[in-house]
Amino acid sequence: MSRILSRVATFAILALAALAITAPFLWIFRGAFSGSDAELYKLPPTFDPANLTGDNFGQVTDQVPYFRFFANSIIVSTTVTVAQIVTCATAAYAFARLRFRGKGVLFAVVIGSLMIPIQVTIVPLFLVMSKLGLTNTLWSLILPGIFSGFGIFLLRQHFMALPYELEEAAKLDGAGHFRTFARVILPLSGPSIATLGILCFTYWWNDLLLPLVMISDTERQTLPVGLVLLAGRFSTGSLGTIAAGIAMAIVPVLIVFLAAQRYIVQSIASSGLKL
């Protein structure tokens, strides 16, 4: 009996937690199809199928160059994600498998970089990009994200958990470091690499501070700044229109996450042998 009560209590707690997490998203999607802002102010929230409309989505594209913002975010997020996977995977392999002088010091620097918030480095970063003539371009958003201390740490921990016997077997077959990395380590690291890709894509898709500082031309802004413009300078103040813009921004990240969420669990629970 106590076991049943424990399971019921656990299920109830998880259900409440899931409701608390999903409620804001449900409100956003409800507002995106709402025909009247007055309904969004009602407590408790109401749902009237007869008052649903898709006009809010058309208002979004009429008020701001939404698809231009969307394309800029896709370019920045995808490029940074691919670049981080390449740079973090190669650096993590060096820290996990190779022996070289100063390895401990360099890795300490990488870990130390995780403790420095971007707000501290934003002014020097802007000055560097200005000297290079890259401000007001998408390169000023891409280049700062090519390397990631967190990504290096994440993949290093996974690489260190892989059996050394697999690497030794590759060496007996005449494989060098590059071939071992490409043919042995990477195929066994799919879940961890996918996890890094999801986290990186989500972070840069949602980043507001860097585009706000680096980009001054509206046509080159990314989606988070575009949503701010939608709610401010270019907007008539309609909550339904703002909710529609947010809903359109959520969908790509939601698709990426749902398609690859199982890799997050695998990257935590799996070792090289199990894979």
Side-chain angles (χ1 to χ4, degrees), residues 28 31-33 56-58 60 66 227 230 239-249:
I28 288 172
F33 291 96
N56 292 325
F57 295 94
V60 172
Y66 190 89
L227 294 176
L230 180 65
L239 283 179
T241 303
I242 297 171
I246 295 173
M248 293 167 67

Side-chain angles (χ1 to χ4, degrees), residues 64-133:
V64 297
Y66 190 89
F67 292 111
R68 184 61 184 174
F69 297 152
F70 189 92
N72 292 338
S73 288
I74 287 288
I75 293 172
V76 172
S77 301
T78 303
T79 305
V80 171
T81 299
V82 173
Q84 276 199 20
I85 289 175
V86 174
T87 59
C88 292
T90 51
Y93 176 76
F95 282 123
R97 297 298 195 178
L98 304 183
R99 295 181 180 179
F100 55 90
R101 183 176 299 178
K103 183 171 95 170
V105 175
L106 289 177
F107 187 69
V109 172
V110 171
I111 297 299
S113 67
L114 299 177
M115 305 177 187
I116 303 175
I118 189 173
Q119 291 81 1
V120 175
T121 61
I122 193 69
V123 173
L125 187 59
F126 177 82
L127 294 177
V128 170
M129 291 299 164
S130 179
K131 290 293 184 180
L132 295 175

Side-chain angles (χ1 to χ4, degrees), residues 223-242:
L223 201 50
V225 180
L227 294 176
V228 174
L229 297 177
L230 180 65
R233 186 173 17 153
F234 296 105
S235 177
T236 58
S238 171
L239 283 179
T241 303
I242 297 171

Side-chain angles (χ1 to χ4, degrees), residues 199-264:
L199 297 177
C200 177
F201 184 88
T202 303
Y203 176 85
W204 288 96
W205 182 267
N206 295 325
D207 184 45
L208 173 65
L209 178 60
L210 199 61
L212 200 59
V213 172
M214 296 293 181
I215 306 295
S216 58
D217 188 355
T218 301
E219 291 293 327
R220 293 186 174 91
Q221 288 290 3
T222 55
L223 201 50
V225 180
L227 294 176
V228 174
L229 297 177
L230 180 65
R233 186 173 17 153
F234 296 105
S235 177
T236 58
S238 171
L239 283 179
T241 303
I242 297 171
I246 295 173
M248 293 167 67
I250 290 174
V251 169
V253 178
L254 190 62
I255 292 174
V256 170
F257 179 78
L258 292 177
Q261 62 174 334
R262 63 190 181 93
Y263 292 115
I264 296 178

Side-chain angles (χ1 to χ4, degrees), residues 166-182:
L166 298 175
E167 189 173 355
E168 292 174 356
K171 289 180 180 179
L172 291 176
D173 289 338
H177 289 301
F178 179 79
R179 187 176 177 185
T180 301
F181 172 68

